[in-house]
Amino acid sequence: MSAKPDAIRPDWWSKTFAGAVLGGALALALAGLFAWIGPGGIGAREKAQVVMWSMAPLWMIVFATVYLFRTGLRAVLWLGGANVLAYSLLFYVRSSLG
């Protein structure tokens, strides 16, 4: 007896959107924070490579964990809040150190 496979749940689309768009934006903000606050400040040599290559692992960690949220709306709200917090901190650091 074969069981009918479950259809893709509708909230998976919103979770995927949250992970792709908001997760990418969050990874960018976190990489920017590391660039400004990390060792040597913004002008450190070879730091651009580390910041650039840190984007993909950060993004994929957020993208993978976004499916742990109960609903897509929660994923969007939490990642949206995390983006607001991260970019606020990034703009504060840029204004105070730059």
Side-chain angles (χ1 to χ4, degrees), residues 18-31 55 59 79 82-83 86-87 90:
V21 176
L22 297 174
L26 183 60
L28 183 64
L30 294 175
M55 280 280 303
W59 192 1
L79 285 178
N83 271 300
Y87 276 101
L90 177 63

Side-chain angles (χ1 to χ4, degrees), residues 6-88:
D6 291 336
I8 295 177
R9 293 179 40 178
D11 65 341
W12 283 16
W13 292 109
S14 55
K15 289 178 184 180
T16 303
F17 168 79
V21 176
L22 297 174
L26 183 60
L28 183 64
L30 294 175
L33 281 170
F34 176 74
W36 279 93
I37 302 174
I42 193 69
R45 294 177 43 107
E46 289 89 26
K47 192 174 196 177
Q49 288 292 317
V50 173
V51 171
M52 179 183 67
W53 286 102
S54 70
M55 280 280 303
L58 289 171
W59 192 1
M60 289 302 107
I61 289 169
V62 173
F63 209 160
T65 58
V66 76
Y67 295 103
L68 298 175
F69 287 100
R70 289 183 190 256
T71 64
L73 179 62
R74 280 189 178 184
V76 169
L77 291 175
W78 275 98
L79 285 178
N83 271 300
V84 168
L85 181 66
Y87 276 101
S88 298

